[in-house]
Amino acid sequence: MQRSTEHDHPADAHDHPAAPVVDEVSEFEVLEIAVRELAIEKGLFTADDHRKFAEWGEQIGPTGGARLVAKAWTDPAFKARAIADGVAACREIGIDWGEPTGWGTPSDYMELQVLEDTPALHHVIVCTLCSCYPRPLLGHSPYWYRSPNYRRRIVRWPRQVLAEFGLILPPEVEIRVEDSNQKGRFMVLPVRPAGTEGWTEAQLAEIVTRDCMIGVALPRPGTTADETPVAKARHPVPEVHH
């Protein structure tokens, strides 16, 4: 698996107008439609099979991942198991990566790495080649995650891109970008926010949004939904040179 960290880049070299992270149709989405229609034509699966799988992904959403994070926050032993073997930890909360749909459709990948954030380290995930994503835990990926804009830029200018999502991290926090591939998946285990002492797992799970587990947002009491970025940050954050 590929790993990248922040790259040195002069702040004024990225002052040109940036295309929105969203409102962009990926060439991979066009390719997916063509491959899907060809697979149906060749009898590899039916249109109904695809519909059922898509509906399953939309129905589950990120709730499984939110439950995993909430349990890890409240159970140190479970957190250790999740970091050591993410797929096994998922079975403890009722998610089987071998047959996640419940009707015999296997996952196309069987490795999950849970990335633990700390006050000094922040993770963000991407698939630079296409759209690899932990669907059994998070459902379908958001369209901005699949966009070439996000895939190209997050590995080069992570602080600026995170600022476009409204996430401005202190300069002393290291940002580590993890690149998914066809054999494995990542999810972020964010730092538990202050002000949640004594909360139940169910209460904690409500503030763990999809974007928190991708790494483009932080969980906050009172925030239970993602905010979609629409443009370049007004106050871009300069890169930190190491």
Side-chain angles (χ1 to χ4, degrees), residues 121-177:
L121 174 64
H122 180 83
H123 293 90
V124 59
I125 62 172
V126 65
C127 177
T128 55
L129 293 177
C130 53
S131 58
C132 298
Y133 192 73
R135 285 193 297 271
L137 278 177
L138 303 186
H140 284 316
S141 61
Y143 53 93
W144 57 258
Y145 180 88
R146 302 187 294 270
S147 71
N149 193 353
Y150 174 78
R151 292 186 288 110
R152 287 193 295 256
R153 296 173 62 234
I154 190 67
V155 295
R156 300 184 66 189
W157 306 295
R159 287 187 186 272
Q160 282 88 344
V161 174
L162 291 179
E164 292 169 26
F165 283 87
L167 177 56
I168 300 177
L169 298 171
E172 63 271 18
V173 175
E174 176 189 355
I175 300 175
R176 189 171 296 167
V177 181

Side-chain angles (χ1 to χ4, degrees), residues 3 5-6 29 34 42 47 50 52-53 55 58 73 108 110 116-117 120 134 175 201-202 223 231-232:
R3 168 176 294 176
T5 56
E6 296 168 293
E29 292 177 294
K42 297 297 183 180
H50 181 270
K52 288 174 62 179
F53 188 83
E55 289 177 352
E58 294 292 348
W73 280 347
D108 58 349
M110 285 298 296
E116 183 183 13
D117 282 353
I175 300 175
E201 283 187 26
T223 299
K232 184 182 179 183

